[in-house]
Amino acid sequence: MKIFFLGIFSIIPENMSKINAVITGIGSYTPQYISTNEEISTFVDTSDEWITKRIGIKERRILKPEEGKGVSYLAEKAIEDLRNSKDFDPLEIEAIIFATSTPDYILPNTASLIAYRMGMKNAFGFDLGAACSGSIFALDVGQAYITSGKYKKIMLIAGDVLSTVTDFKDRNTCPIFSDSCSAAIIEATTEDFGIMDSILHSDGNSLEFLHMYGGGSVNPASHESVDQRLHYIHQDGKVVFKRAITEMGNTCAELMKRNHLTTNDIAWVVPHQANIRIINAVADHLEIPINKVTINIEKYGNSSAGTIPLCLREWESQFRKGDKIILTAFGAGFTWGAIYMKWGYDPA
Ligand code: UT7
């Protein structure tokens, strides 16, 4: 037995350390316009009391055309915020992965526009579509690029301008959705920090429950598609609600189990912000005290791919190097998953 193990270890060169991918800085931006529940109540038959109790949102940020346009505008502002705390040379960025369901245009991809405008001339870029799970899917792809040894420094951007695809005559959706964007840098390290493990899933048999049918190649924009309100997100809230709790809860539990993590080991759970009752149910399932769960849905609503990095940015000053953090999301697709990471730096 001893000889067998010696045999295996002897083929690994002494100077070869495992490469991890770690977040080394994060910046965020939310638009200036604050839309309150009172304002939403002037569009549809609802109330501040109902939205607060059933969803947990008091207000959300909406990008008004007079402030700026498109998700790239929010991304540029997020990168400016990132620069306040993280000094980096744009020319060192090798790739940009932009998780969004509301790109500036169908083509070209928004990542390329950002690369050009922000001086990241050596980076290639692409957009990644995984709806509300986009930020964790992008983190997983970026981690794989880095741990492969091919790239050392990647920018991840995640955000949406859901107000552009929200039907403000539909009370099932308009109280929920909002706009935000964040940008993070992930880098190679041989230290024992960064993304440790992930579990991602999708189930394409759920189209009818959460979708936007218009604007793609099945229903390209036409008078009819506009008349039929196909360019807005539609959902069966109850179905989404139940699946979100089940899948996020089970995936986090599986991830914790296979990494031998108890609830005491976890410093923070960072869930997608879709409904406070979903967040509470996931925390209950994991038996994680709610003061270890990042919650800002009351201020910002559900900005799809934007919610998790917005929480990371808001809690950044409370994170400590080595904190064990679980990120978890659920969204259209359905897509869902969880990531386990060890935070890589102390507050400035
Ligand atoms: O980010 C990923 C995608 N989205 C989600 O994760 C969202 C998941 N779903 C949800 O958050 C919730 O299902 C909603 C917030 C969408 C709806 O909450 P609910 O507690 O599931 O409401 P419901 O659809 O079961 O409706 C309960 C009642 C109904 O009235 P009746 O039939 O009991 O008389 C609805 O008509 O509440 C009514 N209702 C509303 N009332 C006031 C539904 N929406 C509203 C509203 N204001 N905005």
Side-chain angles (χ1 to χ4, degrees):
M1 199 59 159
K2 196 173 170 190
I3 294 166
F4 171 75
F5 278 123
L6 278 175
I8 285 199
F9 287 123
S10 65
I11 58 172
I12 300 173
E14 267 177 34
N15 59 354
M16 196 168 151
S17 315
K18 183 173 179 285
I19 301 172
N20 286 316
V22 65
I23 294 176
T24 56
I26 187 157
S28 295
Y29 186 74
T30 54
Q32 290 167 15
Y33 187 80
I34 298 173
S35 175
T36 60
N37 288 346
E38 286 73 22
E39 185 187 29
I40 298 290
S41 307
T42 66
F43 305 147
V44 290
D45 181 15
T46 190
S47 64
D48 172 49
E49 191 194 353
W50 195 95
I51 300 171
T52 306
K53 196 169 158 210
R54 305 298 296 173
I55 311 176
I57 298 174
K58 293 297 284 183
E59 58 191 39
R60 71 283 295 141
R61 299 300 181 100
I62 302 292
L63 181 61
K64 293 284 182 183
E66 55 270 26
E67 188 194 334
K69 282 201 167 171
V71 74
S72 68
Y73 168 80
L74 300 184
E76 286 176 30
K77 293 280 191 184
I79 293 168
E80 279 171 28
D81 181 50
L82 167 65
R83 280 202 171 121
N84 289 330
S85 58
K86 166 86 181 162
D87 192 22
F88 70 95
D89 179 354
L91 297 177
E92 285 181 0
I93 303 293
E94 296 164 281
I96 300 171
I97 307 172
F98 199 143
T100 187
S101 304
T102 50
D104 280 13
Y105 310 103
I106 296 285
L107 63 93
N109 67 49
T110 313
S112 298
L113 302 177
I114 289 293
Y116 170 70
R117 291 187 201 149
M118 304 308 276
M120 295 183 273
K121 291 183 183 161
N122 297 320
F124 72 95
F126 59 92
D127 296 355
L128 180 152
C132 299
S133 308
S135 64
I136 61 169
F137 277 47
L139 201 50
D140 195 61
V141 174
Q143 187 257 4
Y145 270 160
I146 283 181
T147 55
S148 75
K150 192 164 185 188
Y151 305 108
K152 291 189 172 53
K153 202 175 275 196
I154 293 177
M155 180 168 286
L156 303 180
I157 307 175
D160 275 293
V161 188
L162 284 190
S163 60
T164 56
V165 288
T166 297
D167 184 348
F168 284 94
K169 291 184 173 169
D170 176 8
R171 72 177 183 172
N172 285 312
T173 50
C174 79
I176 302 173
F177 295 142
S178 65
D179 308 334
S180 86
C181 192
S182 298
I185 291 183
I186 57 168
E187 297 185 52
T189 179
T190 51
E191 288 191 305
D192 186 30
F193 297 107
I195 296 133
M196 297 288 129
D197 197 8
S198 63
I199 300 175
L200 304 182
H201 290 286
S202 47
D203 170 14
N205 194 24
S206 316
L207 175 67
E208 65 184 291
F209 303 120
L210 184 52
H211 56 255
M212 187 178 87
Y213 282 143
S217 51
V218 172
N219 299 304
S222 65
H223 283 295
E224 290 73 28
S225 71
V226 173
D227 289 346
Q228 291 167 22
R229 308 184 86 71
L230 297 187
H231 299 273
Y232 296 124
I233 299 175
H234 294 270
Q235 71 169 347
D236 182 333
K238 269 190 196 310
V239 173
V240 180
F241 185 92
K242 285 184 194 155
R243 273 297 283 276
I245 292 172
T246 305
E247 305 295 8
M248 288 162 81
N250 288 345
T251 310
C252 289
E254 185 187 345
L255 190 66
M256 285 169 63
K257 190 174 173 199
R258 82 179 187 193
N259 286 282
H260 312 291
L261 297 168
T262 66
T263 52
N264 287 336
D265 297 322
I266 303 295
W268 298 98
V269 172
V270 183
H272 171 50
Q273 312 279 304
N275 187 313
I276 188 66
R277 292 180 294 134
I278 297 177
I279 296 170
N280 286 336
V282 172
D284 281 354
H285 182 93
L286 300 175
E287 297 178 355
I288 295 274
I290 207 70
N291 63 356
K292 287 182 168 189
V293 181
T294 64
I295 301 173
N296 62 12
I297 187 172
E298 71 283 0
K299 284 189 292 184
Y300 298 117
N302 175 358
S303 55
S304 192
T307 64
I308 287 178
L310 186 61
C311 283
L312 293 178
R313 174 68 182 91
E314 201 171 347
W315 268 263
E316 188 187 25
S317 63
Q318 295 186 55
F319 294 161
R320 296 291 175 273
K321 193 169 181 175
D323 274 358
K324 293 174 178 165
I325 301 177
I326 302 280
L327 316 178
T328 185
F330 183 90
F334 292 137
T335 54
W336 69 94
I339 285 188
Y340 160 42
M341 65 160 125
K342 288 188 201 162
W343 192 249
Y345 55 96
D346 286 320

